Amino acid sequence: MKLTVVGCSGSFPSAESACSSYLVEADGFRLLLDMGNGALGELQRHCGLYDLDAIFLSHLHADHCIDMCAYFVARYYRHDGGRCDPIPVYGPEGTEQRLTTAYADTPTASSMSEVFDFHTVKPSTFEIGPFTVHTERVAHPVEAYGIRIEHGGKTLTYSGDTGISTALDELARDADLFLCEAAFTHGKENIPDLHLNGREAGQSAARAGARRLVLTHIPPWTDPQVNLSDAREVYDGPVELAVPRRTYEI
């Protein structure tokens, strides 16, 4: 598998990065995890507008899904080549309604489903292209899912947004790469079931026995170096910060 960081800023885009979006590729198949603010523009550095094969939305907060509205425009109103066939979109219950409401002026109430083939995510194991994926609900104020992606004997886990969660620990069990949010700062924010800080992300990776930890979803007002240092205090494996356009071979 190849992982490309399209965007990794939390809550809103930074001067350097779009919000959450990660491209996973294997066997010529392209799966996008989330499409937050600014992600669609950055995505075009890595693949064509119409080269995605499937999209997974971890939850329906704007910094993880709002650029789907722009992607709707690109697919619905495409002139050259005609309208795109619907692309599979996996998201929590109500994803189609959420995107239709956010766009606010679709030609009809069902226009989104003309270019997006919506599938409702629940805790389950299923196939997306060449990937075997397992999803579990994690700790966030809205329905939110972490995802474990397996291919060729390798495993990538993506936390989405979550507070401390035993389900997340299990998703990351022995993962080759654990892409984990670390939005909060240890000793500063303490809001249960919302976000992890760097120390908590490191502890989750340690409990799970993950082989590599990449911290992501760090908002512009959070010092990423503090979160990186905090994670290293409690996790002995390699840990680094997600950086836009960085790629990982898994």
Side-chain angles (χ1 to χ4, degrees):
M1 287 184 286
K2 178 183 177 182
L3 168 67
T4 301
V5 178
V6 178
C8 54
S9 185
S11 300
F12 56 94
S14 71
E16 292 78 30
S17 178
C19 283
S20 292
S21 191
Y22 312 91
L23 182 62
V24 184
E25 301 173 82
D27 298 344
F29 191 94
R30 295 180 175 94
L31 168 64
L32 191 71
L33 308 178
D34 287 340
M35 193 183 286
N37 317 47
L40 184 60
E42 288 297 316
L43 177 65
Q44 293 171 74
R45 298 180 184 273
H46 308 288
C47 74
L49 272 175
Y50 309 109
D51 292 338
L52 290 177
D53 296 293
I55 299 168
F56 171 83
L57 300 177
S58 63
H59 65 293
L60 301 180
H61 280 156
D63 60 326
H64 291 258
C65 73
I66 201 61
D67 265 28
M68 290 290 291
C69 291
Y71 197 41
F72 165 77
V73 173
R75 297 186 71 86
Y76 190 90
Y77 293 103
R78 185 176 74 163
H79 179 72
D80 294 337
R83 183 173 301 166
C84 300
D85 292 333
I87 182 174
V89 175
Y90 300 84
E93 188 171 354
T95 295
E96 180 178 2
Q97 181 182 11
R98 175 74 169 91
L99 295 178
T100 301
T101 301
Y103 190 85
D105 193 27
T106 54
T108 71
S110 61
S111 293
M112 283 282 174
S113 62
E114 293 181 38
V115 294
F116 298 141
D117 179 18
F118 291 101
H119 299 260
T120 299
V121 172
K122 295 294 181 184
S124 61
T125 299
F126 54 100
E127 307 295 321
I128 301 179
F131 305 113
T132 298
V133 305
H134 183 71
T135 54
E136 288 289 349
R137 188 160 180 178
V138 291
H140 205 52
V142 300
E143 186 177 359
Y145 291 89
I147 184 170
R148 179 183 177 95
I149 304 171
E150 299 177 354
H151 179 270
K154 300 293 184 178
T155 300
L156 163 67
T157 297
Y158 169 50
S159 66
D161 279 9
T162 182
I164 297 171
S165 168
T166 56
L168 178 63
D169 294 351
E170 288 306 310
L171 285 174
R173 183 70 58 196
D174 299 323
D176 295 283
L177 192 150
F178 183 18
L179 182 64
C180 186
E181 76 116 286
F184 283 167
T185 302
H186 177 61
K188 180 182 177 184
E189 298 104 339
N190 184 23
I191 305 172
D193 298 335
L194 183 57
H195 290 296
L196 298 172
N197 57 47
R199 183 178 183 86
E200 290 166 342
Q203 289 169 332
S204 179
R207 289 191 298 266
R211 297 180 176 88
R212 186 177 190 180
L213 174 63
V214 178
L215 302 178
T216 193
H217 196 271
I218 299 177
W221 52 47
T222 297
D223 185 343
Q225 295 302 321
V226 171
N227 286 14
L228 181 62
S229 177
D230 286 346
R232 285 174 171 164
E233 287 184 2
V234 295
Y235 173 66
D236 293 333
V239 56
E240 61 190 275
L241 299 169
V243 177
R245 306 178 201 173
R246 183 162 293 173
T247 61
Y248 302 88
E249 296 293 335
I250 305 169

mmCIF file of all heavy atoms in Angstrom, residues 189-211:
data_model
loop_
_atom_site.group_PDB
_atom_site.id
_atom_site.type_symbol
_atom_site.label_atom_id
_atom_site.label_comp_id
_atom_site.label_asym_id
_atom_site.label_seq_id
_atom_site.Cartn_x
_atom_site.Cartn_y
_atom_site.Cartn_z
ATOM 1 N N GLU A 189 -5.947 21.059 27.084
ATOM 2 C CA GLU A 189 -7.356 20.734 26.868
ATOM 3 C C GLU A 189 -7.676 19.389 27.514
ATOM 4 O O GLU A 189 -6.860 18.458 27.457
ATOM 5 C CB GLU A 189 -7.691 20.647 25.372
ATOM 6 C CG GLU A 189 -7.481 21.946 24.613
ATOM 7 C CD GLU A 189 -6.205 21.919 23.772
ATOM 8 O OE1 GLU A 189 -5.312 21.092 24.074
ATOM 9 O OE2 GLU A 189 -6.110 22.720 22.836
ATOM 10 N N ASN A 190 -8.819 19.288 28.113
ATOM 11 C CA ASN A 190 -9.238 18.045 28.751
ATOM 12 C C ASN A 190 -10.744 17.891 28.580
ATOM 13 O O ASN A 190 -11.522 18.102 29.510
ATOM 14 C CB ASN A 190 -8.854 18.015 30.225
ATOM 15 C CG ASN A 190 -9.199 16.694 30.883
ATOM 16 O OD1 ASN A 190 -9.318 15.679 30.197
ATOM 17 N ND2 ASN A 190 -9.386 16.693 32.197
ATOM 18 N N ILE A 191 -11.145 17.544 27.364
ATOM 19 C CA ILE A 191 -12.563 17.362 27.033
ATOM 20 C C ILE A 191 -12.760 15.910 26.638
ATOM 21 O O ILE A 191 -12.255 15.468 25.605
ATOM 22 C CB ILE A 191 -12.987 18.290 25.883
ATOM 23 C CG1 ILE A 191 -12.648 19.742 26.216
ATOM 24 C CG2 ILE A 191 -14.479 18.140 25.596
ATOM 25 C CD1 ILE A 191 -12.853 20.704 25.056
ATOM 26 N N PRO A 192 -13.454 15.127 27.445
ATOM 27 C CA PRO A 192 -13.591 13.695 27.150
ATOM 28 C C PRO A 192 -14.317 13.453 25.828
ATOM 29 O O PRO A 192 -15.190 14.228 25.412
ATOM 30 C CB PRO A 192 -14.416 13.170 28.335
ATOM 31 C CG PRO A 192 -14.242 14.195 29.417
ATOM 32 C CD PRO A 192 -14.094 15.505 28.708
ATOM 33 N N ASP A 193 -13.953 12.362 25.186
ATOM 34 C CA ASP A 193 -14.656 11.874 23.991
ATOM 35 C C ASP A 193 -14.713 12.907 22.870
ATOM 36 O O ASP A 193 -15.716 13.030 22.170
ATOM 37 C CB ASP A 193 -16.074 11.423 24.352
ATOM 38 C CG ASP A 193 -16.074 10.262 25.339
ATOM 39 O OD1 ASP A 193 -15.081 9.517 25.378
ATOM 40 O OD2 ASP A 193 -17.064 10.116 26.077
ATOM 41 N N LEU A 194 -13.632 13.633 22.700
ATOM 42 C CA LEU A 194 -13.580 14.618 21.616
ATOM 43 C C LEU A 194 -12.332 14.415 20.766
ATOM 44 O O LEU A 194 -12.423 14.093 19.581
ATOM 45 C CB LEU A 194 -13.637 16.041 22.170
ATOM 46 C CG LEU A 194 -13.663 17.174 21.143
ATOM 47 C CD1 LEU A 194 -14.842 17.023 20.194
ATOM 48 C CD2 LEU A 194 -13.717 18.536 21.856
ATOM 49 N N HIS A 195 -11.153 14.617 21.365
ATOM 50 C CA HIS A 195 -9.890 14.454 20.650
ATOM 51 C C HIS A 195 -8.843 13.833 21.571
ATOM 52 O O HIS A 195 -8.983 13.855 22.798
ATOM 53 C CB HIS A 195 -9.365 15.802 20.142
ATOM 54 C CG HIS A 195 -10.167 16.394 19.032
ATOM 55 N ND1 HIS A 195 -10.287 15.786 17.803
ATOM 56 C CD2 HIS A 195 -10.884 17.561 18.957
ATOM 57 C CE1 HIS A 195 -11.050 16.542 17.025
ATOM 58 N NE2 HIS A 195 -11.423 17.605 17.695
ATOM 59 N N LEU A 196 -7.784 13.340 20.952
ATOM 60 C CA LEU A 196 -6.609 12.868 21.677
ATOM 61 C C LEU A 196 -5.549 13.963 21.707
ATOM 62 O O LEU A 196 -5.511 14.830 20.840
ATOM 63 C CB LEU A 196 -6.013 11.647 20.978
ATOM 64 C CG LEU A 196 -6.892 10.401 20.881
ATOM 65 C CD1 LEU A 196 -6.229 9.364 19.982
ATOM 66 C CD2 LEU A 196 -7.175 9.820 22.250
ATOM 67 N N ASN A 197 -4.689 13.913 22.696
ATOM 68 C CA ASN A 197 -3.471 14.724 22.657
ATOM 69 C C ASN A 197 -2.302 13.824 22.236
ATOM 70 O O ASN A 197 -2.473 12.615 22.024
ATOM 71 C CB ASN A 197 -3.214 15.417 23.997
ATOM 72 C CG ASN A 197 -3.111 14.459 25.170
ATOM 73 O OD1 ASN A 197 -2.416 13.447 25.091
ATOM 74 N ND2 ASN A 197 -3.788 14.770 26.277
ATOM 75 N N GLY A 198 -1.117 14.401 22.100
ATOM 76 C CA GLY A 198 0.023 13.620 21.649
ATOM 77 C C GLY A 198 0.354 12.462 22.568
ATOM 78 O O GLY A 198 0.677 11.354 22.116
ATOM 79 N N ARG A 199 0.261 12.701 23.866
ATOM 80 C CA ARG A 199 0.558 11.644 24.831
ATOM 81 C C ARG A 199 -0.450 10.498 24.706
ATOM 82 O O ARG A 199 -0.072 9.320 24.708
ATOM 83 C CB ARG A 199 0.538 12.224 26.247
ATOM 84 C CG ARG A 199 0.919 11.220 27.328
ATOM 85 C CD ARG A 199 0.933 11.869 28.715
ATOM 86 N NE ARG A 199 1.353 10.925 29.721
ATOM 87 C CZ ARG A 199 2.623 10.681 30.042
ATOM 88 N NH1 ARG A 199 3.588 11.342 29.427
ATOM 89 N NH2 ARG A 199 2.942 9.800 30.969
ATOM 90 N N GLU A 200 -1.722 10.835 24.579
ATOM 91 C CA GLU A 200 -2.756 9.806 24.472
ATOM 92 C C GLU A 200 -2.631 9.024 23.169
ATOM 93 O O GLU A 200 -2.868 7.811 23.135
ATOM 94 C CB GLU A 200 -4.131 10.448 24.591
ATOM 95 C CG GLU A 200 -4.419 10.952 25.994
ATOM 96 C CD GLU A 200 -5.612 11.886 26.061
ATOM 97 O OE1 GLU A 200 -6.027 12.434 25.006
ATOM 98 O OE2 GLU A 200 -6.137 12.092 27.181
ATOM 99 N N ALA A 201 -2.265 9.707 22.092
ATOM 100 C CA ALA A 201 -2.038 8.998 20.828
ATOM 101 C C ALA A 201 -0.877 8.021 20.972
ATOM 102 O O ALA A 201 -0.942 6.877 20.495
ATOM 103 C CB ALA A 201 -1.761 10.002 19.704
ATOM 104 N N GLY A 202 0.192 8.448 21.636
ATOM 105 C CA GLY A 202 1.322 7.561 21.877
ATOM 106 C C GLY A 202 0.949 6.380 22.742
ATOM 107 O O GLY A 202 1.382 5.241 22.492
ATOM 108 N N GLN A 203 0.144 6.626 23.757
ATOM 109 C CA GLN A 203 -0.292 5.530 24.625
ATOM 110 C C GLN A 203 -1.161 4.531 23.862
ATOM 111 O O GLN A 203 -1.040 3.320 24.069
ATOM 112 C CB GLN A 203 -1.048 6.099 25.824
ATOM 113 C CG GLN A 203 -0.151 6.835 26.817
ATOM 114 C CD GLN A 203 -0.939 7.606 27.859
ATOM 115 O OE1 GLN A 203 -2.076 8.035 27.618
ATOM 116 N NE2 GLN A 203 -0.332 7.800 29.025
ATOM 117 N N SER A 204 -2.018 5.030 22.994
ATOM 118 C CA SER A 204 -2.845 4.135 22.184
ATOM 119 C C SER A 204 -1.968 3.274 21.279
ATOM 120 O O SER A 204 -2.180 2.057 21.160
ATOM 121 C CB SER A 204 -3.839 4.942 21.345
ATOM 122 O OG SER A 204 -4.639 4.099 20.547
ATOM 123 N N ALA A 205 -0.970 3.892 20.645
ATOM 124 C CA ALA A 205 -0.057 3.139 19.784
ATOM 125 C C ALA A 205 0.704 2.084 20.573
ATOM 126 O O ALA A 205 0.911 0.955 20.102
ATOM 127 C CB ALA A 205 0.905 4.096 19.094
ATOM 128 N N ALA A 206 1.114 2.435 21.795
ATOM 129 C CA ALA A 206 1.847 1.485 22.640
ATOM 130 C C ALA A 206 0.950 0.318 23.054
ATOM 131 O O ALA A 206 1.367 -0.849 23.012
ATOM 132 C CB ALA A 206 2.393 2.205 23.865
ATOM 133 N N ARG A 207 -0.271 0.614 23.471
ATOM 134 C CA ARG A 207 -1.194 -0.445 23.865
ATOM 135 C C ARG A 207 -1.476 -1.391 22.697
ATOM 136 O O ARG A 207 -1.630 -2.600 22.875
ATOM 137 C CB ARG A 207 -2.509 0.143 24.379
ATOM 138 C CG ARG A 207 -2.412 0.821 25.737
ATOM 139 C CD ARG A 207 -3.797 1.129 26.295
ATOM 140 N NE ARG A 207 -4.552 2.051 25.454
ATOM 141 C CZ ARG A 207 -4.591 3.374 25.614
ATOM 142 N NH1 ARG A 207 -3.882 3.935 26.602
ATOM 143 N NH2 ARG A 207 -5.325 4.125 24.820
ATOM 144 N N ALA A 208 -1.571 -0.807 21.501
ATOM 145 C CA ALA A 208 -1.916 -1.590 20.320
ATOM 146 C C ALA A 208 -0.727 -2.364 19.753
ATOM 147 O O ALA A 208 -0.916 -3.277 18.943
ATOM 148 C CB ALA A 208 -2.482 -0.671 19.238
ATOM 149 N N GLY A 209 0.468 -1.986 20.155
ATOM 150 C CA GLY A 209 1.647 -2.615 19.567
ATOM 151 C C GLY A 209 1.862 -2.196 18.120
ATOM 152 O O GLY A 209 2.442 -2.957 17.327
ATOM 153 N N ALA A 210 1.395 -0.993 17.759
ATOM 154 C CA ALA A 210 1.586 -0.493 16.396
ATOM 155 C C ALA A 210 3.078 -0.315 16.115
ATOM 156 O O ALA A 210 3.849 0.064 17.001
ATOM 157 C CB ALA A 210 0.846 0.830 16.213
ATOM 158 N N ARG A 211 3.475 -0.574 14.891
ATOM 159 C CA ARG A 211 4.893 -0.538 14.540
ATOM 160 C C ARG A 211 5.389 0.860 14.193
ATOM 161 O O ARG A 211 6.587 1.134 14.263
ATOM 162 C CB ARG A 211 5.154 -1.490 13.378
ATOM 163 C CG ARG A 211 4.864 -2.947 13.733
ATOM 164 C CD ARG A 211 5.120 -3.883 12.565
ATOM 165 N NE ARG A 211 4.917 -5.273 12.967
ATOM 166 C CZ ARG A 211 3.743 -5.902 12.912
ATOM 167 N NH1 ARG A 211 2.677 -5.250 12.448
ATOM 168 N NH2 ARG A 211 3.628 -7.155 13.295
#
